[in-house]
Amino acid sequence: MFPSKVYVLGVGSIGCLVSTQLAKISDRQIVLLLKDELTLNKFLNNESTLRYENLINLRNPIIQDFKFKALSSVPKNQFGKVDFIENLIVTTKSYQTLRGLEKFLPALNKNSKVLFIQNGLGVIDKLNETLFADPETRPQFYQGIISHGAFRQKKFAVKHVGLGDLKIAALPRTIPTFNQQEEFVNSTESEQNLVPDFIQDIIKTPILNAQYLDYEDLLVTQYEKLIINSCINPITAILDSFNGELLKIEEMYPIFSKIIQECIDVLTKSNLNTIRNHQNFNILLNKERLINVVFKVAEKTSRNSSSMREDIRSLNETEIDYVNGYVVELGKKYNVYTPYNRLICDLVKAKLSLNVYRNNDAIKMTL
Amino acid sequence: MFPSKVYVLGVGSIGCLVSTQLAKISDRQIVLLLKDELTLNKFLNNESTLRYENLINLRNPIIQDFKFKALSSVPKNQFGKVDFIENLIVTTKSYQTLRGLEKFLPALNKNSKVLFIQNGLGVIDKLNETLFADPETRPQFYQGIISHGAFRQKKFAVKHVGLGDLKIAALPRTIPTFNQQEEFVNSTESEQNLVPDFIQDIIKTPILNAQYLDYEDLLVTQYEKLIINSCINPITAILDSFNGELLKIEEMYPIFSKIIQECIDVLTKSNLNTIRNHQNFNILLNKERLINVVFKVAEKTSRNSSSMREDIRSLNETEIDYVNGYVVELGKKYNVYTPYNRLICDLVKAKLSLNVYRNNDAIKMTL
């Protein structure tokens, strides 16, 4: 029996990184799902190739090209009927996920396995409320958290600049909330513990440095990443600075402290019954430790320009609604007041609006 | 009898504007109090001249030079003894006032009349707590609120670009607070109602468009200006934008709304017994009206770069502690939570720190 296909939605830096590394070790067919025909044509003109550039050891850079099959619409079989998508990796930007997935809905069912590797939180909550409202027919979702340093300078290519890791866990079919106090509605214990074969392949890749975790362990990692991102990303975007410059600003400590305190308040209230008994819960939500972690990450990535800052500079939508905006949403849900994260969201959006206005205005002026 | 001298502390744009206009209509001696000998020498090298440029009608610009006497230390009489300062106008930046006034303390007493014309609030509170802690020996303070458009391009010169007005009132010797519920401790009714002759002169100048008000009326104006400044100044400073660009940013409404709501909450609690019975109190603190006023001011001054933004660009300290910082201080005092104004203060200071760091770093790089 042939191993089943793997579809990949989103070919930004993460999609490119994961697809090429998976292709390197596996014979299984990988199919890129591109957002429209225009992108498909661009990909075909690019000789159906994704490029992986490993720049981690600058004395020994590695460039590798991989050819992929690609589609811009729902996959169909030889009889023109919609083909079932068993394995799907989603790496689109958070805010593009709903629109990106919608088209492929007919090919997904409860036997599909969907792995999300994205920044920010709240995407799966939104999917569960909209496209997959019925827990009985919902695919099995997996969450991946990636810490590799990778960026895209041109389309269909990734520059891999920092080794990190990739943590993956199966999500419960229904995420229990503080109010509901309900039990996990897992399909079965065993189904959740069974690691799908395409994820086993990902774990085997030498470069991605991936591991499979319990959901609770992943949540701890995920919340820590959320908190780090909620500090570094918006502040570098608002002040228009490199990550490392944050270390030179005396006022960063009180600002991070304010943002983090709200994250702690919200997470403490929202996930009591999911991770409150986790061995690392008290460590996770220790404020002084978190502030230190944020400064350490800013130091380690000091020459980086955050994705949010870069989005604003290139007039793209940011993921703010899935970072600080997620904290605000949780705050609303669990009745925690989150003024600092709210104002941060507004200011990031204001900065983008200003740049968009200046750009449009500049265009008008030269006409 | 000769009319008494008028001393002026601070020769920025406001000091320059007021001194030259007063000199134009009055024979009385005006003496500039300069901050140090270096500044005094620069002034003497400038032929002891302040320049007033009226650019309001650009087809008919007016340039006038005025010679002034100047000192950099406390005035002394012919016997070398400290001379009493009867009339003093203070136009320094808010945060420079304490340090600026300290040197001249020996020349001030309860018979001195001191008119403060500054942006921001809280300076006089600070003076009353420090230099003039005893209400019995404290000079009579007057507050001026100026709305003229004026800026300084070079030292000892002011460009007057927009006609505004100047509102002046006598301050009660003790400002009653919400907690104390005490009566005004005025020297006497009549003393407060007596308009000092140098202020009468200011009111006579044709260009300053000055008027004398009751303290309560002035407070209403002053709080309105505080609220406008607390929106436009820090946001243009943080986003690095012209005033008019704020009109192009969709997110300005929720941001202004947040800042203003806190101002309203704080002012409502802090000044109940001073202006709650004022006929304009409910109008003053109407939120929708205030938001509209802020947008109107941004429109009217659309090509202006706010003083706070300019301070940050030229790496000068800002008046943030006397604008949004004043709201935060009042909030602490009257137990009103002011997270939005707090974060705004931190971000303005962070932006300045970043620019200072970049400037120093740039210097290092070229060494």
Side-chain angles (χ1 to χ4, degrees), chain A residues 197-254:
Chain A
D197 53 3
F198 81 107
I199 291 181
Q200 290 187 37
D201 280 358
I202 290 175
I203 291 167
K204 283 184 208 138
T205 64
I207 285 184
L208 290 179
N209 196 11
Q211 63 178 130
Y212 197 78
L213 302 177
D214 283 345
Y215 177 56
E216 289 76 9
D217 290 329
L218 183 103
L219 265 185
V220 170
T221 307
Q222 196 171 25
Y223 288 143
E224 179 140 328
K225 188 168 180 188
L226 174 74
I227 292 172
I228 295 166
N229 285 346
S230 74
C231 290
I232 293 178
N233 285 11
I235 300 297
T236 52
I238 293 167
L239 298 183
D240 198 9
S241 78
F242 286 93
N243 292 2
E245 287 181 314
L246 299 180
L247 301 165
K248 311 297 179 182
I249 300 173
E250 210 184 318
E251 292 76 16
M252 275 308 114
Y253 192 93

Side-chain angles (χ1 to χ4, degrees), chain A residues 245 251 258 346 353 358, chain B residues 245 251 258 346 353 358:
Chain A
E245 287 181 314
E251 292 76 16
K258 288 176 173 77
D346 285 341
S353 295
R358 283 180 178 170
Chain B
E245 289 181 313
E251 292 76 16
K258 289 175 174 77
D346 285 342
S353 294
R358 283 179 178 170

Side-chain angles (χ1 to χ4, degrees), chain A residues 155-202:
Chain A
K155 258 186 158 2
F156 311 123
V158 60
K159 287 182 192 290
H160 192 182
V161 293
L163 260 192
D165 58 19
L166 173 58
K167 289 174 173 149
I168 300 173
L171 266 68
R173 289 219 172 232
T174 301
I175 296 174
T177 62
F178 181 64
N179 292 330
Q180 296 173 307
Q181 295 286 358
E182 68 191 292
E183 291 298 302
F184 278 38
V185 187
N186 290 327
S187 333
T188 60
E189 267 290 313
S190 62
E191 189 182 320
Q192 208 202 335
N193 290 335
L194 205 70
V195 183
D197 53 3
F198 81 107
I199 291 181
Q200 290 187 37
D201 280 358
I202 290 175

Side-chain angles (χ1 to χ4, degrees), chain A residues 263-297:
Chain A
C263 294
I264 292 172
D265 293 347
V266 160
L267 292 178
T268 305
K269 260 198 123 173
S270 70
N271 277 288
L272 283 180
N273 57 347
T274 314
I275 55 164
R276 76 181 311 183
N277 295 322
H278 192 281
Q279 51 179 353
N280 291 334
F281 183 74
N282 287 327
I283 301 172
L284 167 69
L285 296 186
N286 178 303
K287 186 172 165 185
E288 285 307 314
R289 188 192 69 84
L290 285 167
I291 296 176
N292 282 331
V293 168
V294 170
F295 278 113
K296 272 194 194 121
V297 170

